[in-house]
Amino acid sequence: LLVEPPWRPAVLWDRVTLTCQGLETAGATTWYRNGQRWGQEGSECLTITESGTYTCDRPSNGRSPSVTVSNARLVLQLPAQELLEGDTVTLRCRC
């Protein structure tokens, strides 16, 4: 599950778009919000307008890891990349 922009945690006011990546065609995508089927079924991209925990499912790949999108007013964000001890990282405090 690809999240744009690539900051964690994801917040609504960043205009978050989720893309379900996999081997199947776009029509095979099922979206879930808080464990329930939700949204634009069949579309591989989803622009988030409500906070919650999202996953997608494609027949050949199974269900994706979850992504939580919050509506928090103040967050400390970090890049959504794997970090190792000693790496330099940019944090941003958003409000």
Side-chain angles (χ1 to χ4, degrees):
L1 189 57
L2 178 66
V3 183
E4 287 295 329
W7 290 90
R8 299 293 179 274
V11 286
L12 283 178
W13 35 268
D14 267 344
R15 299 182 74 159
V16 175
T17 299
L18 303 179
T19 303
C20 193
Q21 298 179 309
L23 302 174
E24 297 294 320
T25 62
T29 304
T30 304
W31 289 98
Y32 298 87
R33 178 178 170 262
N34 299 331
Q36 303 292 318
R37 280 182 180 233
W38 189 84
Q40 305 161 15
E41 191 154 334
S43 175
E44 67 181 26
C45 293
L46 185 66
T47 300
I48 303 304
T49 58
E50 298 178 40
S51 60
T53 300
Y54 293 86
T55 59
C56 67
D57 183 45
R58 295 188 116 170
S60 64
N61 297 17
R63 195 165 297 190
S64 71
S66 63
V67 170
T68 299
V69 180
S70 82
N71 198 21
R73 294 188 59 182
L74 177 66
V75 294
L76 180 63
Q77 292 180 306
L78 66 147
Q81 63 192 38
E82 187 173 322
L83 300 173
L84 301 173
E85 185 176 337
D87 285 352
T88 299
V89 64
T90 299
L91 301 176
R92 67 182 189 176
C93 185
R94 305 277 308 272
C95 59

